[in-house]
Amino acid sequence: MNKDNEEIQKAKAHIIVEIIEYVPNAVLSRTIIKKTTGNVTVSAFDAGEEIAEKSSAFDTYIQIIDGSAEIVIDGKKHQLGLGQGIIIPAHQRNSFCAKEPFKMISTVIKSGYE
């Protein structure tokens, strides 16, 4: 299995900003927890990188853990800095733009929608 798709080792402390590195001209992601009921992922964006507009069937919580990011939700721009978070509502169109390098944690909860 690809190391980037493996969960982080359980019951072992880690420094979240150090579990993923910046790579020039790339967006990298690493799974922290992946379950059928939701997942937690950490991502690193190099300056100038973007994720095109998309939507999810579930609410997604984003928290910036390094740098700052521009997140567009349903056509409205949000500038998030270190430590700030935002909930992207289910089914809302959203995109990410890195004016500078940034890292974020993304948390998706899939339960509770029954």
Side-chain angles (χ1 to χ4, degrees):
M1 179 180 259
N2 181 339
K3 182 181 176 200
D4 288 343
N5 290 330
E6 292 179 5
E7 290 185 4
I8 298 298
Q9 186 175 347
K10 294 178 181 172
K12 183 175 185 223
H14 61 271
I15 298 173
I16 192 69
V17 296
E18 294 179 357
I19 65 171
I20 194 165
E21 297 298 323
Y22 292 111
V23 173
N25 307 310
V27 176
L28 293 184
S29 294
R30 179 140 187 226
T31 302
I32 296 174
I33 300 171
K34 185 174 183 81
K35 303 292 180 203
T36 56
T37 54
N39 56 61
V40 179
T41 306
V42 63
S43 300
F45 289 65
D46 192 24
E49 295 301 308
E50 298 181 0
I51 291 186
E53 190 175 68
K54 61 179 177 55
S55 66
S56 169
F58 308 102
D59 288 345
T60 303
Y61 180 71
I62 302 294
Q63 182 179 15
I64 305 302
I65 58 171
D66 191 42
S68 67
E70 179 182 283
I71 301 172
V72 179
I73 302 172
D74 198 26
K76 183 177 180 194
K77 288 184 181 181
H78 303 270
Q79 189 66 38
L80 271 64
L82 180 63
Q84 291 185 304
I86 194 166
I87 297 171
I88 301 173
H91 308 291
Q92 294 279 309
R93 304 294 297 166
N94 63 87
S95 62
F96 295 82
C97 180
K99 305 286 187 197
E100 66 176 84
F102 78 90
K103 294 179 183 179
M104 70 178 191
I105 297 174
S106 171
T107 305
V108 178
I109 306 297
K110 297 179 181 178
S111 60
Y113 287 88
E114 302 79 35

